């Protein structure tokens, strides 16, 4: 596509050499180069801006003045005029990523079941950003005079030039001893290891205001921003694991980690995290094995309990740490603020506050019980589990311990709160054959939800405050809002309605506006009337399920996967909710299926009912739009045909004549169809953006063949 491209080149080589019968050495070498180029659109986002253009451009506006491509049209928001998404007009952005990684290892096997292995890894990543946004003029056309004209400030008169550089070095090393030996009916395996990881991340930004669209050189005189950052991380850990089984009937695994993080103060840096797993195969017991009827072929009970440590609170790449790096170090922050003294610009310093020496690892406690079953000689199998992941030691403030304001800082956070994710999951699969016809049908489902457990010394002003805001032993990610119990049907109904529905005596209400439930019957709609109306937003659904099938007959195969989900909330906002939001436009259904006058030029003409309220232009403060309610909030359900594939394996006698051992031809499709309760919103159920401005899952079709010689 013109002015846009993304190119990636990958190289990988795996090498292994056996030096002696017991010693081997090897390496995995890889390199990657990415080249991304785009027009210098505002906000640097060539992904989001074209979507934003759809809802920002008015239908009455043209990209070019008088449809003349030589003149950019000065629309009401020219930054999202798609005519500007051109490198000759708005500038360029070039991003390059280069990465190289080397994994080296050596392994020696002793003759008594012990293996020693040493592994080292070095990874270097370089990122370069080079952006140049131009100035350009925009025009309008005067048809009477047949001229194009512009004015100061039209188009883009705020150019910028920016370069960014990031170099990341990752180092990893591990020493490991493993032992595996069978002593008659007893099997023993063990692992002991030490590993260490560190990273050095250096980042710099230079931003300037260029004097023209031609010279890309960044000059000190035009510089308006400079950033220079250095971030380091380091972790180390000792690992031990022992496995034991007796006749593959009784299974035990015990393991432990002793991990350290650079985030915590000496003395709190390391934590010990043990775990254990047990299993019992009842079908190996004589009282079941000797009475086997062929119906029950497998019965295994399992259970596990373990602790792991976390020094971050979510995705490690988000740098959302339990405590900021080096918070345990006393002293001063520099630079912090600035001032002019005697005509000289001087950087300031400030005390860092109390060193944080008590915060340490958040502990994840995972427990699981499960059963594996098999029937009919393994034709029907199933796995069922109940699990909990409890997080203890989440950082929280000790609000009840006060320091005098003269101190200038407060107490640091402490490991105080806890929460848990609890759930159940199960899977069933049945495989069989009838003559030449083979088939497999499998289904699985998961229900998983967070539950808040403990909160440090909670305070509540009254029972409603506790009901609404407590985090003690209740399900998390609850969406609160108002219940819509109807819409006003006439102006007379608005005038006679006794409940203050909009907080302004209903003077802003029109036919078609939402009527909210007055839960406490006090005659006023406000926050006291909110109740739970939704589940988690912008995160995986709480319920997921799938059906997996495959069929075969004389070389022909058919397989498909159906997935579905529920207990997830989609909340419409911005363009999907507010008509003409941000002086833009809206989806057609909000206009076409709305309450409106029969004659838009006659305020006394009859009202025509619709699904949506009558239009207020960009009025986000109206009671239809400024209250989270169950009209704009939908608890999403969907079933999707994720994959479908038809294939044929050519007969081997035919292939052998032409020197081919196997040949398979196939056609498949992905994301072919979806049934959902939000289809009328023109939005995919797997989209989490509440404005809908993201690409939906792509529908793909493939055809091909696979040969083996």
């Amino acid at each position: 596509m013109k002015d846009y491209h993304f190119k990636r080149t990958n190289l990988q080589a795996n090498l292994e050499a056996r030096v002696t019968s017991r010693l081997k050495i090897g390496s995995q070498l890889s390199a990657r180069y990415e080249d991304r180029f785009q027009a210098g659109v505002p906000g640097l986002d060539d992904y989001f801006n074209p979507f934003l253009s759809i809802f920002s451009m008015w239908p009455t506006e043209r990209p070019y003045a008088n449809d003349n491509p030589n003149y950019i049209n000065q629309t009401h928001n020219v930054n999202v005029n798609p005519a500007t998404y051109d490198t000759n007009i708005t500038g360029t952005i070039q991003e390059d990523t280069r990465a190289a990684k080397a994994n080296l290892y050596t392994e020696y096997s002793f003759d008594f079941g012990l293996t020693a292995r040493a592994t080292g890894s070095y990874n270097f990543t370089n990122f370069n950003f080079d952006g140049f946004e131009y100035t350009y003029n925009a025009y309008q056309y005067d048809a009477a005079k047949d001229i194009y004209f512009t004015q100061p400030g039209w188009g883009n008169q705020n150019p910028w030039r920016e370069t960014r550089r990031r170099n990341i070095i990752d180092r990893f090393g591990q020493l490991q001893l493993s032992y595996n030996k069978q002593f008659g009916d007893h099997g023993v395996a063990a692992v002991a290891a030490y590993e260490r990881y560190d990273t050095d991340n250096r980042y710099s930004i230079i931003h300037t205001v260029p004097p023209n669209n031609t010279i890309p050189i960044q000059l000190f005189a035009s510089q308006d921003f400079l950033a220079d950052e250095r971030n380091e991380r380091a972790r180390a850990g000792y690992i031990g694991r022992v496995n034991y089984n007796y006749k593959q009937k009784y299974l035990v695994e015990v393991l432990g980690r002793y991990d350290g993080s650079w985030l915590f103060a000496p003395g709190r840096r390391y934590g010990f995290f043990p775990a254990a797993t047990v299993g019992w195969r009842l079908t190996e017991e004589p009282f079941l094995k000797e009475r086997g009827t062929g119906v029950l072929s497998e019965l295994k009970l399992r259970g596990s309990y373990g602790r792991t440590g976390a020094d971050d609170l979510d995705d490690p790449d988000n740098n959302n740490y339990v405590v900021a790096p080096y918070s345990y170090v006393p002293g001063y922050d520099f630079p912090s603020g600035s001032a002019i003294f005697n005509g000289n610009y001087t950087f300031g310093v400030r005390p860092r506050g109390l060193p944080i020496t008590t915060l340490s690892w958040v502990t994840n406690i995972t427990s699981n019980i499960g059963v594996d079953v098999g029937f009919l000689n393994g034709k029907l199998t199933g796995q069922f589990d109940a699990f909990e992941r409890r997080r203890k030691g989440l950082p929280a403030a000790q609000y009840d311990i006060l320091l005098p304001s003269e101190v200038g800082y407060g107490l640091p956070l402490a490991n105080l709160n806890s929460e848990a994710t609890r759930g159940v999951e199960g899977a069933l699969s049945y495989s069989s054959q009838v003559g030449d016809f083979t088939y497999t049908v499998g289904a699985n489902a998961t229900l998983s939800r967070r539950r808040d457990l403990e909160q440090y010394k909670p305070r509540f002003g009254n029972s409603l405050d506790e009901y609404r805001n407590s985090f003690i032993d209740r399900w998390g990610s609850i969406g609160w809002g108002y219940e819509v119990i109807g819409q006003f049907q006439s102006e007379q109904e608005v005038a006679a309605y006794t409940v203050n529905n909009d907080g302004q005596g209903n003077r802003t209400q029109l036919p078609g506006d939402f009527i909210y439930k007055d839960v406490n019957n006090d005659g006023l709609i406000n926050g006291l009337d909110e109740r739970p109306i939704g589940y988690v937003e912008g995160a995986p659904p709480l319920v997921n399920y799938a059906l997996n099938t495959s069929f075969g007959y004389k070389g022909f195969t058919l397989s498909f996967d159906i997935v579905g989900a529920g207990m997830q909330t989609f909340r419409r906002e911005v363009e999907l909710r507010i008509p003409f939001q941000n002086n833009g436009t809206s989806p057609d259904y909000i206009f076409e299926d709305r309450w409106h006058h029969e004659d838009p030029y006659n305020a006394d003409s009859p009202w025509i009912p619709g699904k949506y309220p009558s239009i207020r232009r960009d009025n986000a403060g109206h009671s239809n739009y400024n209250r989270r309610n169950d009209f704009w909030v939908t608890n999403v359900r969907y079933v999707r045909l994720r994959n479908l594939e038809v294939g044929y394996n050519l007969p081997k006698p035919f292939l052998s004549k032409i020197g081919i051992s196997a040949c398979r031809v196939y056609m498949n499709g992905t994301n072919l169809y979806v049934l959902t309760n939000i289809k009328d919103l023109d939005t995919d159920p797997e989209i989490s953006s509440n404005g809908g401005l993201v690409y939906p899952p792509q529908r793909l079709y493939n055809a091909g063949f696979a040969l083996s010689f």
Side-chain angles (χ1 to χ4, degrees), residues 472-613:
I472 299 176
D473 198 23
R474 71 191 312 182
W475 294 114
S477 300
I478 297 174
W480 293 74
Y482 297 90
E483 181 182 349
V484 175
I485 58 175
Q487 292 173 275
F488 290 111
Q489 300 298 304
S490 67
E491 295 178 15
Q492 292 76 17
E493 183 182 4
V494 172
Y497 199 64
T498 58
V499 176
N500 188 348
N501 194 66
D502 62 353
Q504 302 182 53
N506 297 336
R507 64 184 180 85
T508 68
Q509 305 289 262
L510 292 173
D513 287 349
F514 300 140
I515 302 174
Y516 297 111
K517 184 177 181 178
D518 185 12
V519 176
N520 61 356
N521 295 314
D522 65 352
L524 175 65
I525 301 299
N526 56 24
L528 301 178
D529 298 301
E530 292 190 12
R531 293 295 182 269
I533 61 171
Y535 302 103
V536 61
E537 297 178 15
L542 304 182
V543 173
N544 295 273
Y545 48 89
L547 176 69
N548 314 109
T549 65
S550 63
F551 304 94
Y553 181 74
K554 293 186 176 180
F556 290 95
T557 60
L558 169 67
S559 62
F560 60 86
D561 301 318
I562 297 174
V563 299
M567 294 183 70
Q568 179 193 39
T569 295
F570 179 71
R571 171 172 49 92
R572 286 188 274 174
E573 289 290 353
V574 291
E575 291 85 3
L576 294 185
R577 178 171 179 168
I578 305 166
F580 299 108
Q581 192 268 340
N582 198 25
N583 202 24
T585 185
S586 303
D588 57 351
Y589 51 78
I590 289 182
F591 298 133
E592 294 177 357
D593 191 8
R594 76 189 194 282
W595 280 74
H596 61 280
H597 281 291
E598 184 179 60
D599 181 355
Y601 299 101
N602 182 2
D604 295 325
S605 63
W607 282 93
I608 306 300
K611 178 179 178 180
Y612 292 91

Side-chain angles (χ1 to χ4, degrees), residues 13-79:
N14 298 327
L15 304 173
E16 185 173 279
R18 187 167 291 279
V19 181
T20 69
S21 60
R22 299 187 180 278
L23 176 65
K24 65 180 179 181
I25 58 175
S27 66
Q28 292 101 31
L29 307 176
S30 62
R32 183 181 86 255
Y33 173 68
E34 293 179 359
D35 170 11
R36 187 188 303 269
F37 180 81
Q38 68 178 63
V41 297
L44 313 181
D45 197 340
D46 64 328
Y47 177 93
F48 179 76
N49 263 55
F51 281 113
L52 190 60
S53 296
I54 298 172
F55 280 142
S56 297
M57 290 284 288
W58 296 343
T60 55
E61 292 179 319
R62 312 290 290 180
Y64 300 103
N66 195 35
D67 292 336
N68 186 335
N70 295 319
Y71 297 92
I72 301 297
N73 189 22
Q74 177 63 34
T75 60
H76 79 282
N77 185 356
V78 72
N79 285 331

